[in-house]
Amino acid sequence: MPNELIQLPQSELLEYLRRQVDKMAELEQKIAGLEQDREELLRVACNVDSRLREYEEIKEGWDWFFANSLDMLIVHGLDGRLLRVNPAVERLLGYTPEEFMRLPLEDSAHPDDLADVLTHLRTIAEGTDGVNFEARTRHKDGRYRWLAWTTPAPTKDGRAMTHTYAIARDVTESRLTQQELLYRAQHDALTGLANRAAFDHEVGLALARAERLASPVSLLLIDLDGFKQVNDTLGHLAGDDVLRTVAARLRAASRKGDLVARLGGDEFACLTTGPSRAALDALAVRMLNVVCEPVAVGDVRAQVGCSIGIATADGDFDPVRLFAAADRAMYGVKARGKGDVAHAAAPA
């Protein structure tokens, strides 16, 4: 103890010692608090390290998935601007991610699909729900590929949406398969003309339009004359050649907007809307003449003719009655010697 403290009166010395004890107690309390804070900070630091490792693992997993996904993955802003594109874009569309991100939407989307794509983008920006659609996107080689786009619905966590995600998968092959199946369902396999089912459907639509617009609809039934003889003498393969040639000639002789079909066997039909009686007669004569032209089949020339019956409907004339009237007119031609054209009587 310093000499000056020894010389203090006992009462002052005791007061001094009491103050020192109080200071020591306060200091010990602060040290204990700091030790507690230190332990808490260590626990927080350990927790932060653990969360950082967890986030890093999640990010590594996402980065791996983003880089290796077979589907095209896109992150884009609400204004449609691309923020990130994964490498799958090069496999699907031939562009590097950097090239695709610089490509204006007007240059990448098919012109016929652009309006729909813009509508979908606006829907995505509103963030109300997920969006699924298919659209054509231009490949780097100039062709278009069908892509199926999926944009998941935004999460409902209360945060303001700043960007969205899109997944694209190439569905070109399935689209082509669907188109091929649809084509086969509507076209005759031998001639490529519309088949009976497709033709009947179009006749119904044309008659409905005729009733609404007061525009006449005419049906030409075309039955070949002498075709059985071609089959019997030259064989069915030669007969198929004749049918294909006749089909091409009838299509070439028809007017723009007319529908030519093969109804089956050696029977064809043509649906035409709005022609005058003179134009209708000219069409029938053209068809009659082109069918009568010889058809080269190997080293021989086959020849067939045709009989044409025409029925015209104004207003509400149903398909069954229209076909029946044209059929009667066509068989009337056959009964009179074939190779001619006849109009059915106007329906009552």
Side-chain angles (χ1 to χ4, degrees):
M1 178 179 297
N3 291 331
E4 60 270 19
L5 294 179
I6 296 175
Q7 296 173 2
L8 288 174
Q10 186 176 8
S11 60
E12 293 182 11
L13 179 60
L14 289 174
E15 180 64 26
Y16 171 79
L17 291 175
R18 186 168 49 252
R19 288 198 302 269
Q20 294 303 311
V21 169
D22 290 342
K23 288 181 180 179
M24 287 296 295
E26 183 180 352
L27 182 59
E28 287 175 353
Q29 186 176 6
K30 288 182 178 180
I31 291 173
L34 290 172
E35 288 288 346
Q36 187 176 357
D37 290 345
R38 176 177 174 275
E39 291 177 3
E40 182 64 25
L41 287 173
L42 288 173
R43 285 196 298 271
V44 170
C46 289
N47 187 45
V48 169
D49 286 343
S50 176
R51 296 295 295 273
L52 282 174
R53 285 193 298 271
E54 180 183 345
Y55 291 153
E56 286 172 357
E57 290 175 0
I58 294 173
K59 184 178 183 301
E60 287 175 2
W62 160 249
D63 287 342
W64 185 93
F65 176 76
F66 191 84
N68 293 278
S69 173
L70 296 179
D71 293 331
M72 190 164 72
L73 306 178
I74 290 178
V75 182
H76 54 85
L78 300 184
D79 57 359
R81 183 171 55 90
L82 301 183
L83 304 176
R84 192 176 180 190
V85 180
N86 73 332
V89 65
E90 192 161 3
R91 181 179 60 83
L92 268 61
L93 297 173
Y95 303 99
T96 65
E98 295 74 20
E99 289 173 333
F100 190 75
M101 290 177 67
R102 292 194 300 267
L103 192 65
L105 180 62
E106 293 77 8
D107 293 341
S108 62
H110 192 285
D112 293 343
D113 299 340
L114 180 58
D116 287 340
V117 171
L118 291 173
T119 299
H120 290 307
L121 286 177
R122 285 193 294 270
T123 302
I124 293 168
E126 293 170 359
T128 55
D129 203 351
V131 174
N132 298 278
F133 66 96
E134 293 183 3
R136 286 161 289 185
T137 302
R138 186 169 64 86
H139 192 281
K140 192 174 182 179
D141 64 11
R143 298 175 300 159
Y144 282 93
R145 306 292 295 178
W146 278 99
L147 299 183
W149 292 90
T150 300
T151 299
T155 56
K156 306 296 184 181
D157 57 5
R159 292 180 299 174
M161 187 171 64
T162 59
H163 55 267
T164 56
Y165 307 89
I167 305 168
R169 177 169 296 179
D170 192 327
V171 293
T172 304
E173 299 306 321
S174 62
R175 268 280 184 165
L176 293 177
T177 299
Q178 293 172 13
Q179 292 173 357
E180 182 180 358
L181 291 174
L182 181 61
Y183 180 87
R184 290 180 180 179
Q186 297 178 339
H187 292 79
D188 174 58
L190 179 64
T191 64
L193 296 179
N195 60 18
R196 180 64 187 255
F199 190 77
D200 286 350
H201 179 70
E202 289 300 321
V203 169
L205 294 179
L207 290 175
R209 287 193 297 268
E211 184 174 5
R212 186 173 68 253
L213 304 175
S215 176
V217 173
S218 296
L219 170 65
L220 289 76
L221 284 185
I222 306 154
D223 193 77
L224 299 189
D225 301 324
F227 180 72
K228 183 177 183 302
Q229 184 179 358
V230 172
N231 268 342
D232 291 344
T233 58
L234 300 179
H236 289 284
L237 292 179
D240 288 347
D241 285 343
V242 170
L243 290 174
R244 280 191 288 264
T245 301
V246 167
R249 290 176 179 176
L250 290 174
R251 185 157 42 195
S254 64
R255 306 180 316 151
K256 184 178 180 180
D258 293 345
L259 177 64
V260 179
R262 182 188 177 206
L263 303 184
D266 60 353
E267 188 174 20
F268 297 83
C270 177
L271 179 68
T272 182
T273 303
S276 63
R277 177 65 176 256
L280 193 56
D281 287 338
L283 171 62
V285 170
R286 283 199 307 275
M287 290 184 164
L288 189 69
N289 290 336
V290 296
V291 170
C292 292
E293 295 175 4
V295 178
V297 180
D299 297 331
V300 300
R301 293 167 70 82
Q303 188 162 14
V304 295
C306 68
S307 300
I308 302 177
I310 304 174
T312 298
D314 291 301
D316 55 343
F317 192 54
D318 67 82
V320 174
R321 291 174 60 200
L322 186 65
F323 269 99
D327 199 55
R328 286 194 299 271
M330 184 264 292
Y331 276 104
V333 172
K334 285 187 174 290
R336 292 192 297 273
K338 304 179 182 180
D340 202 354
V341 178
H343 287 264

